[in-house]
């Protein structure tokens, strides 16, 4: 899946409520604004807005050498996320640009 990625972040720590450890990754992407209307609400807009996708924190380093924002091909897998079957980013098939090496 090709996505225009704004950035990624990983938040890890210990829950104050439960004392359990957590590690949550998030990918921020540009998604088209969807116009919608029903009896109770109307949404109108143009362009894009930020969207979030869960990312497996174990694959975060695959994204370290890209210059953001950029368009990437994401690898997605089904997962249980916030009580619903969703998709999680497990990597990218895009190749990060190689930095030039100086012979100076």
């Amino acid at each position: 899946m090709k996505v225009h990625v704004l950035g990624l972040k990983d938040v890890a720590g210990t829950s104050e409520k439960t004392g359990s450890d957590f590690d949550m990754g998030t990918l921020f992407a540009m998604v088209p604004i969807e116009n919608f209307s029903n009896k109770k609400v109307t949404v109108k807009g143009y362009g894009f807005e930020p969207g979030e996708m869960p990312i497996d924190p174990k694959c975060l380093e695959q994204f370290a050498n890209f210059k953001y924002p950029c368009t990437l091909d994401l690898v997605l897998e089904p997962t249980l996320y916030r009580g619903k079957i969703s998709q999680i980013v497990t990597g990218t098939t895009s190749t990060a640009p190689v930095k030039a090496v100086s012979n100076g």
Side-chain angles (χ1 to χ4, degrees):
M1 169 185 221
K2 200 172 278 272
V3 174
H4 196 71
V5 178
L6 299 170
L8 302 97
K9 76 175 178 182
D10 181 44
V11 178
T14 304
S15 169
E16 289 183 16
K17 290 182 180 180
T18 66
S20 300
D21 292 336
F22 65 87
D23 193 357
M24 301 180 305
T26 305
L27 180 142
F28 299 94
M30 282 180 37
V31 295
I33 294 173
E34 292 185 24
N35 293 302
F36 174 79
S37 183
N38 66 22
K39 291 180 182 180
K40 296 184 178 183
V41 67
T42 298
V43 176
K44 250 187 205 179
Y46 307 97
F48 297 86
E49 63 185 340
E52 296 181 12
M53 298 176 75
I55 183 169
D56 184 341
K58 295 177 208 146
C59 75
L60 200 65
E61 290 303 314
Q62 288 184 31
F63 297 88
N65 295 318
F66 292 99
K67 184 176 178 179
Y68 295 94
C70 61
T71 302
L72 300 174
D73 281 309
L74 302 178
V75 178
L76 304 173
E77 291 185 19
T79 188
L80 189 60
Y81 181 69
R82 295 184 180 170
K84 296 181 181 179
I85 295 175
S86 184
Q87 302 236 12
I88 188 169
V89 178
T90 57
T92 181
T93 57
S94 299
T95 304
V98 178
K99 293 181 181 177
V101 176
S102 173
N103 290 331

